[in-house]
Amino acid sequence: MSVSQAAGEVSELISQAERALANGDRARADALLMRVKAVDPEHPAILNETALNELRNGNATTAREMLERAVARDGSNTRLLMNLAGTLRRLGLADEEMRIIERVLAAEPRHLFGLLQKATLLESQGKQRAAAKVYHNALQTIPPGTTVPGALRGLIDKAVAATQAN
């Protein structure tokens, strides 16, 4: 198999795995990712999934190394960057976390989770006013009437409270 054929196969398998995950079929997604791993064990999607497993097992340092390798291969992937930022937060590396979040926001200025993470980081640094401004910007990205996913509800409520308090 040529390099371009392998890349095409990997791309198709990744697409199928993403669709399987979106449909809640974790077993199929895992099976597809195992096929990707056989073709390209250093593929960013494989490194990302492995890193997330390491995080779940409490191995943030290993997760960081894997995510940095993934970002080295696909530096424009905001999902990888946000996972790296979250890992840096777990490691207590605020300056590095902010650098990665800024990179996400440079690529996607209206990245909701990136804005929320930046605001919580600013808040943890005692920069309430700056945090409130970023929270406000995050809230502006949500169209009226949008149902916010449950995982973000707490952060959105916090953003509303911080904005109102400012």
Side-chain angles (χ1 to χ4, degrees):
M1 179 182 303
S2 73
V3 171
S4 64
Q5 287 173 318
E9 178 185 354
V10 165
S11 179
E12 178 56 31
L13 290 170
I14 294 294
S15 294
Q16 289 177 27
E18 287 172 351
R19 284 192 299 273
L21 276 176
N23 293 327
D25 190 350
R26 181 72 190 186
R28 176 157 170 67
D30 287 344
L32 290 162
L33 289 173
M34 289 304 294
R35 288 177 55 195
V36 171
K37 189 174 185 176
V39 176
D40 184 0
E42 287 289 307
H43 190 280
I46 297 302
L47 292 169
N48 183 57
E49 283 300 312
T50 306
L52 294 177
N53 284 333
E54 290 294 332
L55 275 177
R56 284 189 283 277
N57 292 326
N59 302 322
T61 301
T62 302
R64 174 189 181 185
E65 293 166 4
M66 294 179 147
L67 288 164
E68 286 176 340
R69 290 196 333 250
V71 166
R73 283 193 57 186
D74 188 1
S76 64
N77 185 320
T78 56
R79 181 184 307 158
L80 295 175
L81 290 166
M82 288 305 299
N83 287 342
L84 177 56
T87 301
L88 294 168
R89 177 169 288 195
R90 286 188 60 181
L91 291 168
L93 301 170
D95 291 341
E96 291 182 48
E97 177 188 357
M98 184 62 83
R99 183 178 48 81
I100 296 298
I101 293 169
E102 291 294 351
R103 199 165 148 188
V104 169
L105 295 174
E108 289 182 36
R110 297 177 53 87
H111 192 285
L112 176 60
F113 195 66
L115 289 165
L116 291 170
Q117 188 163 341
K118 179 178 180 176
T120 60
L121 181 57
L122 288 167
E123 214 171 34
S124 73
Q125 296 171 336
K127 300 174 182 175
Q128 297 343 47
R129 207 164 190 79
K133 182 178 179 190
V134 176
Y135 276 134
H136 176 75
N137 292 342
L139 292 172
Q140 297 304 305
T141 70
I142 305 170
T146 301
T147 302
V148 176
L152 289 180
R153 186 77 254 158
L155 279 173
I156 297 300
D157 291 343
K158 187 176 185 178
V160 169
T163 302
Q164 289 173 345
N166 191 42

